[in-house]
Amino acid sequence: MDTLIRFIKFPISFDVDKLKSDLLGILNKSWTAHYNKNDYTGKWTSVALMSTDGKSNNIFALSNTGDEMMNTEILASCPYFKEILEHFHFEKTAVRLLQLAAGAEIKPHSDHCLGYEDGSFRLHIPIITNPDVEFILDGKRLMMKEGECWYIDANFTHSVANRGNQDRIHLVIDGVRNDWTDALFYKEAPENQFVKPEITMSEEQKLLVIAELKRMNTSAANELIKNLK
């Protein structure tokens, strides 16, 4: 049975007034339309607080590439956002503000290797939201409130619909798993709930694979056949 943790609401809260104060200073800045054009309807925009080139319009969220992240010019004017980032002792691979306009929808989709079991993860800190935002993760609606801190396993299908009259803005932090984050996560769930279940192969599937490997008739294929038998 799959026991992977889909989400965590951490017992951490941030000052909503300070979050909104930092946000207020950059609402009139240039926000970039999200690059996954086919994944949403309406207006979904972002601004980077950290990026690989230090530019706020570089909103790409990439898995751990080893590239050093740089503060953008936007982050320089946001003391509370900087304080929050310093609170989290892990390597950041993307730090963005994501704004989903009223009436906009992000279609059901899943991300690649963005669960804690993969060694990477995503945190959401709502800054502005409303009760009519429908965030669905693996069939369950998550009610995220302003100032809270949530982990979501983005490998699972998720979608968002902002059915309210107010734009929804989250601070979204992607990071790399380490000992500090293990201590944080394991307080909320057992370690074995952050381990991918082993993929088992039925006898019928195994025979089909062996037949295909025999057809290939290479030394590597023959070695795989030995391991499967």
Side-chain angles (χ1 to χ4, degrees), residues 100-104 128-133 161-168:
L100 188 67
I128 296 176
T129 190
N130 65 78
D132 295 315
V133 171
N162 186 356
R163 306 195 190 285
N165 298 316
Q166 185 180 34
D167 294 351
R168 168 257 207 190

Side-chain angles (χ1 to χ4, degrees), residues 1 8 26 32 34 37 48 52 72-73 81 92 103 105 115 119 146 149 173 200 209 211 215 224:
M1 180 181 175
I8 295 172
I26 56 178
T32 302
H34 200 282
K37 304 291 186 183
T52 53
T72 68
E73 75 282 2
F81 291 161
K92 284 80 174 176
E105 295 189 27
E146 295 174 356
C149 181
I173 306 168
T200 57
V209 170
R215 188 190 64 78
L224 287 171

Side-chain angles (χ1 to χ4, degrees), residues 6 10 26 43 61 64 83 90 98 110 116 133 155 160 175 206 214:
R6 270 57 168 175
F10 289 106
I26 56 178
K43 190 176 180 181
N64 186 18
E83 183 180 325
F90 56 79
L98 288 170
S110 59
Y116 202 69
V133 171
N155 290 332
V160 190
K206 189 184 293 185
K214 284 181 177 178

Side-chain angles (χ1 to χ4, degrees), residues 188-212:
E188 308 306 319
E191 182 176 352
N192 62 8
Q193 290 191 270
F194 299 103
V195 178
K196 281 185 177 180
E198 290 187 14
I199 299 174
T200 57
M201 192 182 299
S202 69
E203 195 62 32
E204 182 181 359
Q205 290 172 322
K206 189 184 293 185
L207 290 173
L208 288 171
V209 170
I210 289 173
E212 180 62 22

Side-chain angles (χ1 to χ4, degrees), residues 19-27 31 81 97 127-128 169:
L19 286 168
K20 291 183 177 181
S21 177
D22 273 10
L23 177 64
L24 185 62
I26 56 178
L27 279 175
W31 290 61
F81 291 161
L97 295 170
I127 302 175
I128 296 176
I169 303 177

Side-chain angles (χ1 to χ4, degrees), residues 59-73:
I59 63 169
F60 288 96
L62 304 173
S63 56
N64 186 18
T65 61
D67 293 334
E68 184 177 351
M69 298 294 289
M70 301 168 60
N71 294 352
T72 68
E73 75 282 2

